[in-house]
Every structure is written in C-alpha cells, then in structure tokens.
Amino acid sequence: MLFPQTHAGASEILKKDFEAANPGVTVNVTLVPYEDLQQKATLDVQSGAAEFDVFDSWYTEVGALAAGSVIVPLDDMLKDADDDDFIPAIYDAYSKIDGKRYSIPFDGDTEVLFYNKEILERNGVEPPTTWNEYADAVAKITEAEKDDGVYGAAIMGQQTPIILMSTYANRLAGFGGGFLDEEGNPTLDTEAAIGAAASLNDVVGDAMPTPLETGFDQALQAFLSGKVAFMEFWTDLGTFAQDESQSKIVDKWGVMQLPVGGDADKSLAALDAGYTMTLSSAAKNPDLAKKFMLFATSAETNLKLITSYGSGIDPNRLSTLSADEYKEFNPQVQEAASASLNGALPWPTSKEAPELFQALTDELATMISTNGDAESTMKKVQSQWESILG
C-alpha cells in the first residue's frame, strides 16, 4: 500500500484491523509526502517494480493516473461498495473519469475556518462572516500580539498544489467562482477568481511569518500550540484540537463555515485534498487488494477512523457523517463537516489537472512573494490554462 504521510495514523489502524480479520495476510505500508504520490505510483508501474497493489491517491490525480494506465477501472467493484451511501458531493468528483469509475472515496476532505476563542475574546474580535472581516481581524490580532509570538492567522502557502491551491480554492468558492465552466473552459480571469486572489494577497502580510513555507505540519502545530487565532483547515483538525496528548487548546477552539466574498451571500466549501483508493494496474495481488479497498472504504471502517484521534480521516459516507457516534465524539466537527460536504466546489480531475495546478500554484506563489497584482496574475494563469487544455 502507498499512503501519504498525513494518513500515517489511518494506515496503522487499517493495517492492524485488516490483518486481524485476515490471518496470514501482511499489509506493507509505504508513506511518502503527499506531493510525491502521483510520481511514486507512476514510477512503480512504468518501471516494472510493481511494489504496490493499492494507492491512496489524491482525487485530482486520478485522471492522470488513468490516462497513464497506472490504475484500472473499478465499476464492477463499486457495486459491492454500497455506493449509494457515498456523500453525493464527493462521489463523482472522487471516482469518475470519462464515464468510468477508477477509485473508491476514502477521505472526504473540505476545509472550514477554525478559531481560537481565547485570542478572539481578548482582542474583541468576532468570528468573521466575510473575507474582508477576516482580513481586518487577522491584522488587528497580529498588530496586538505579534511581539508575543501570536498571530492573527496561519496561512498555508507552501508552494505545492495541495496546499497553496487549497488556500486559494477556499476563496474562489467563497467568492462564487470556479475553475472551469460547463464546457470545460478555464474561468480564472473572472471577477470572482481575481477577487479571490486579491483576498489571499491582502492577508499574507499579517499572517504568521513565511506563509510560502507553511504547510500542513507547520500550520497544525501553530494552531494546536495556541499561537494563531484563525486557520483554514480540514474538518478533522477538531479531532486533533481535542486530543490532550498534543493540543494546548482543548475546549478553547471554535469552528465555522468559510467566509464569503464579493457578491456571494452563501458559504461554499471547496473539495480540497480528498483521497480515494485506486488499484494498481501492476498489482500482484489484485483480489486481495480489492478486498482491502472495500474494507478500508466501508462504513464500519470509516466510522472507526473518523472517531479515532490522529487518523486524519473525514467522512466518506452519508451514514457515517450523520452517525450518533461521530456527533458524540466531536459535535463541532460533525456539524462543520455536515455543512461543508453538503455541496462543494470540485477541482478539475482531467489528465491535464496536475499541470494546471502547478501553473496556478507557481503564479500564486510569485504573487505572494512579490506582492504582485492579483488581476495580472490571474489573467496570466488563464492564458496558461487555455494553452494547456488546447
């Protein structure tokens, strides 16, 4: 099995439980940085190494993996997966490429806005409902507390698509924009797309230092240690925040839907990150691999993962999203996840998606590092996307 490092906790649980249920079977897990998943999977198949049977894939990379014959369709297998129970907002986005289903939803990821109640209270700040209010709140808190090492926000701007583009996508959805129109044409030079970029650029100067070096681990540690007031993050952060073994803010945090911007009046989440189980075309144990994939994505397993500290997994099914056990385990997280997964902005999943994402990520990083102009940045991205898509 090939997993991202962020799913280390989940992989340990899956390995232990699957081996216990299948005596004589050994699950070998390899962990790699999330940005290396596609390259590692592709190389494993194309080189003939065939080390892996199953890939825990970022859903946006499924189209490229399918086009490269790295993975195989799973339409027949999904009939045994109780697929009517998958959350509608993620099912097609996570699994469907050119009319065929190549993967099974595993980790239903969207981001919401977490905040530190104590920091907001001592600065007289209310949870923001618009991105403008958010920027004002971040600036106020940073000005008041930066000398003590406390900042208004941690902005995840690490120059890798799954991080920086997620931060941008939160604003793109909040401004009512999208990546592509219904015909598949880029829409990154629209008023909403430009407004989203400007909103991001406006806040980085008041955020925790070096946003372009702030990724998953750095942001997580900053929030859990009580050093930042706001952080956009995946819904499972609430599970980390209530874990007394690693959090200094137990019962001191809140969570809400992401703010809105421009003319938008309704919060909409983006399907940031999100992982799905795929079957290697070079799998040496395809039958056992399929059994593992059905096990890992089942309602029973998902419920265990979303109610376990450190798993890093969010709901993939309607039944687990609304389960009493999930509500009791962390009611704030359950409420936030229910709202954010009730319709969301998907990212492109075509074979060109990785190239599209890198182009957008690189230009956003340049804009942030040079305090560049949002409009010219997004018009440049629009031109690059049009060229890539032909």
Side-chain angles (χ1 to χ4, degrees):
M1 314 298 170
L2 180 68
F3 279 78
Q5 290 173 341
T6 50
H7 284 177
S11 70
E12 291 176 3
I13 294 171
L14 293 175
K15 172 180 171 64
K16 179 181 178 181
D17 289 358
F18 191 72
E19 288 179 349
N22 298 273
V25 171
T26 300
V27 176
N28 297 304
V29 177
T30 296
L31 300 172
V32 297
Y34 38 71
E35 63 268 27
D36 293 344
L37 280 172
Q38 180 190 348
Q39 181 182 12
K40 183 75 171 178
T42 302
L43 182 62
D44 184 64
V45 171
Q46 294 182 351
S47 70
E51 180 182 356
F52 306 107
D53 298 291
V54 176
F55 306 126
D56 180 12
S57 302
W58 183 21
Y59 82 94
T60 66
E61 296 174 345
V62 170
L65 292 173
S69 299
V70 178
I71 58 175
V72 297
L74 302 173
D75 296 85
D76 291 340
M77 182 177 162
L78 275 160
K79 297 175 183 177
D80 300 321
D82 192 16
D83 59 343
D84 289 342
D85 189 35
F86 287 123
I87 297 169
I90 70 174
Y91 185 37
D92 283 353
Y94 277 27
S95 68
K96 203 169 189 178
I97 302 294
D98 296 332
K100 294 182 179 180
R101 298 197 185 274
Y102 280 86
S103 53
I104 310 179
F106 174 54
D107 181 18
D109 275 335
T110 59
E111 291 190 15
V112 288
L113 184 62
F114 288 88
Y115 55 91
N116 183 304
K117 293 180 180 179
E118 290 187 333
I119 298 177
L120 266 61
E121 288 173 2
R122 65 178 180 248
N123 286 279
V125 170
E126 296 293 327
T129 58
T130 70
W131 285 113
N132 284 338
E133 292 176 357
Y134 170 83
D136 291 342
V138 170
K140 180 178 180 180
I141 293 168
T142 295
E143 178 62 26
E145 303 206 25
K146 63 182 178 181
D147 290 343
D148 296 321
V150 175
Y151 295 88
I155 299 294
M156 292 195 294
Q158 187 180 65
Q159 196 173 341
T160 184
I162 202 169
I163 296 297
L164 179 51
M165 217 177 111
S166 290
T167 301
Y168 173 72
N170 292 340
R171 289 158 177 77
L172 181 63
F175 274 75
F179 293 106
L180 305 170
D181 62 22
E182 293 182 356
E183 285 73 43
N185 301 308
T187 55
L188 291 174
D189 60 352
T190 61
E191 184 177 346
I194 294 170
S199 176
L200 173 57
N201 212 24
D202 288 344
V203 78
V204 291
D206 294 312
M208 187 176 75
T210 61
L212 290 176
E213 298 175 11
T214 302
F216 180 98
D217 293 329
Q218 296 85 356
L220 182 64
Q221 181 57 39
F223 189 75
L224 296 182
S225 62
K227 295 299 184 181
V228 294
F230 294 106
M231 189 165 73
E232 306 149 51
F233 209 83
W234 294 276
T235 55
D236 62 301
L237 173 58
T239 303
F240 289 106
Q242 285 300 102
D243 183 355
E244 294 181 353
S245 69
Q246 61 179 320
S247 174
K248 295 182 180 180
I249 58 169
V250 174
D251 296 330
K252 299 177 182 178
W253 58 277
V255 61
M256 61 184 292
Q257 295 307 293
L258 293 167
V260 298
D263 297 329
D265 57 9
K266 181 181 179 181
S267 178
L268 180 68
L271 290 182
D272 300 337
Y275 288 86
T276 186
M277 291 287 173
T278 55
L279 177 63
S280 171
S281 60
K284 295 177 180 176
N285 301 285
D287 292 337
L288 188 58
K290 291 178 181 179
K291 185 176 182 179
F292 174 85
M293 293 166 71
L294 290 173
F295 165 81
T297 60
S298 68
E300 181 180 3
T301 299
N302 185 244
L303 184 58
K304 180 172 184 176
L305 292 173
I306 65 176
T307 55
S308 296
Y309 289 123
S311 74
I313 301 299
D314 294 302
N316 67 349
R317 293 176 174 274
L318 293 169
S319 60
T320 57
L321 182 63
S322 61
D324 289 339
E325 295 93 330
Y326 187 39
K327 294 177 183 178
E328 293 170 5
F329 178 73
N330 205 325
Q332 288 194 87
V333 173
Q334 191 278 334
E335 183 177 356
S338 295
S340 65
L341 286 167
N342 185 24
L345 173 67
W347 295 23
T349 57
S350 66
K351 63 182 181 181
E352 300 89 358
E355 187 177 359
L356 297 175
F357 297 165
Q358 196 61 57
L360 175 55
T361 300
D362 290 345
E363 293 304 328
L364 288 173
T366 298
M367 179 190 72
I368 290 171
S369 65
T370 63
N371 194 27
D373 177 68
E375 182 174 359
S376 60
T377 295
M378 298 315 298
K379 286 186 175 180
K380 185 175 181 180
V381 174
Q382 173 76 11
S383 177
Q384 291 177 347
W385 277 39
E386 289 173 348
S387 177
I388 292 169
L389 292 172

